[in-house]
Amino acid sequence: MKRQRIELAEVAAPENLQAALWAAARGKHTRPDVAAFLADAPARLLPVRQALLDARLPVGRLHRFTIQDPKPRVIHAAPFADRVAHHALMRLMEPRLEQALVPTSFACRPGRGVHAALLHAQAQMQRQRWYVKLDVRHCFPSIPHSLLLALLQRRFKGSALALAAHIVQAHAASPGHGLPIGSLTSQHFANQYLGELDRFALAHPACLAHVRYMDDVVLWAPGREEAHALCRAVQQWVPQQLALELKPAQVQRCEHGLALCGMRLGLYGMQLGQRRQRAWRQHWRSLKVAWQTHTLTAEQAQLQCNTLRSLAAPAQAAAWQRRVLGAGFDLDLRAAAAGGHG
């Protein structure tokens, strides 16, 4: 496939910057920094445009904090002006990056996502006999800048590559390695980098099916010996070609079930895993407190309820949810949906 040419002038074009601004602001209009930027957008976009023409970010500093998800994760959040710049670049790069991904890679892609990944994996659990589950250890902090930039050079040409290199090299977890978790460009670049693993695995004769959601990979094989051969091949290839380390692999019969993306998949059912249950309970408690202290409108409460439903989907979790809702939680969801406090 031919390389796509992208020039800095295209990235910094006014119409592209305007679209990037609204993409970066989507769902965040009430945040003070975003509201201030939008209130004076023409003036605020001028330094963003100049920075892009200079192949750099307008601010270039990251806000570092830690979350529990469920293990501690270090997040590096970019200031809003830099997020606009990220969107401006990715609006032009994403179509070409999308072309290079296999159909069974589900993270950070339009029309896919975690629910589609789970449903695809559930279908393969019913069709196949054995699976290999693989997970990259410290994926984002470990990606080598040099190999990632070489990959991007195989996809693109033009002056925008200098901006991509600036973004990649602006952060390092260790010398020459690492992408910041929490950045739009990091999601796309890491997904593209691991796409090389997808193609290698799918080309192996023992691989009957595949699913990847970011750094979680599941491969299906016809039997035990084939599954172990496939596992060994991938375990040898990843350190050699991607300079990444894999966690110990799981090779198992499909009938024994699969843990993936916070769910527990059986042959004919899907249940919430412990991580999803914990996230659901925490979200529910926060919603209850916000509702009882009148810090949420009915519309906001309904949006939060929709988020709760998405956390439990597509598992068979209705009975579990009823048990949790009956354990002292007295928020009336029907009242929230109808527009009044219960």
Side-chain angles (χ1 to χ4, degrees):
M1 192 175 294
K2 292 179 62 176
R3 293 190 297 164
Q4 179 184 350
R5 178 178 292 279
I6 303 177
E7 303 294 350
L8 288 169
E10 299 174 73
V11 180
E15 60 276 13
N16 189 51
L17 273 182
Q18 192 67 31
L21 169 61
W22 290 110
R26 187 176 297 122
K28 304 179 179 70
H29 291 73
T30 59
R31 286 176 40 171
D33 59 333
V34 179
F37 198 106
L38 293 174
D40 193 22
R44 297 289 188 105
L45 283 175
L46 288 177
V48 177
R49 171 175 166 77
Q50 187 56 55
L52 291 174
L53 290 172
D54 294 339
R56 60 179 177 84
L57 292 172
V59 180
R61 294 189 303 273
L62 298 172
H63 171 57
R64 182 181 184 275
F65 58 96
T66 302
I67 63 170
Q68 199 77 18
D69 181 41
K71 60 185 178 182
R73 292 182 185 273
V74 178
I75 306 298
H76 293 83
F80 186 68
D82 285 6
R83 294 204 299 274
V84 173
H86 291 162
H87 277 274
L89 177 62
M90 297 316 303
R91 288 190 77 252
L92 301 181
M93 278 192 161
E94 185 177 357
R96 177 65 184 87
L97 295 176
E98 174 71 17
Q99 290 177 348
L101 294 172
V102 303
T104 48
S105 168
F106 288 89
C108 309
R109 302 184 69 186
R112 288 178 172 83
V114 66
H115 290 175
L118 288 166
L119 292 172
H120 176 76
Q122 177 79 81
Q124 300 310 317
M125 293 291 284
Q126 297 170 4
R127 295 170 184 161
Q128 314 299 344
R129 295 180 57 204
W130 284 78
Y131 70 82
V132 180
K133 186 184 177 189
L134 301 156
D135 189 3
V136 179
R137 190 185 300 278
H138 305 307
C139 177
F140 276 70
S142 302
I143 292 177
H145 294 170
S146 59
L147 295 182
L148 172 60
L149 292 174
L151 175 63
L152 293 178
Q153 289 171 354
R154 298 201 297 271
R155 305 276 190 267
F156 302 98
K157 56 185 175 180
S159 57
L161 275 173
L163 174 60
H166 172 80
I167 292 173
V168 169
Q169 295 167 342
H171 170 85
S174 60
H177 293 76
L179 298 175
I181 299 175
S183 167
L184 174 70
T185 51
S186 295
Q187 294 174 17
H188 284 287
F189 291 163
N191 207 24
Q192 194 69 198
Y193 192 71
L194 293 178
E196 301 295 285
L197 166 58
D198 299 338
R199 279 183 288 277
F200 172 80
L202 285 167
H204 193 281
C207 185
L208 299 180
H210 156 278
V211 64
R212 180 172 64 82
Y213 192 84
M214 196 47 76
D215 57 348
D216 287 328
V217 184
V218 186
L219 311 172
W220 282 269
R224 182 179 183 276
E225 291 185 4
E226 294 89 342
H228 280 284
L230 175 59
C231 182
R232 287 193 298 270
V234 174
Q235 287 176 321
Q236 292 172 4
W237 186 87
V238 168
Q240 293 174 0
Q241 300 299 320
L242 298 183
L244 296 175
E245 180 184 356
L246 291 171
K247 297 178 183 178
Q250 180 183 4
V251 180
Q252 190 61 271
R253 287 182 178 272
C254 291
E255 63 196 55
H256 293 162
L258 165 68
L260 180 66
C261 299
M263 296 287 188
R264 184 69 190 178
L265 282 64
L267 291 182
Y268 300 103
M270 190 184 309
Q271 301 296 329
L272 293 174
Q274 291 185 355
R275 187 178 73 183
R276 285 281 183 114
Q277 290 183 20
R278 184 163 49 245
W280 204 97
R281 286 192 180 98
Q282 290 173 348
H283 201 125
W284 178 252
R285 292 188 185 106
S286 299
L287 176 54
K288 177 199 172 186
V289 171
W291 182 253
Q292 292 178 338
T293 56
H294 299 268
T295 56
L296 283 180
T297 66
E299 181 182 4
Q300 290 169 335
Q302 185 58 48
L303 289 173
Q304 294 290 321
C305 292
N306 292 341
T307 300
L308 277 171
R309 280 191 277 271
S310 71
L311 280 173
Q316 292 80 38
W320 178 85
Q321 287 174 299
R322 283 194 295 269
R323 288 197 300 272
V324 173
L325 294 176
F329 295 126
D330 53 6
L331 175 64
D332 186 348
L333 298 184
R334 288 172 297 179
H341 281 72

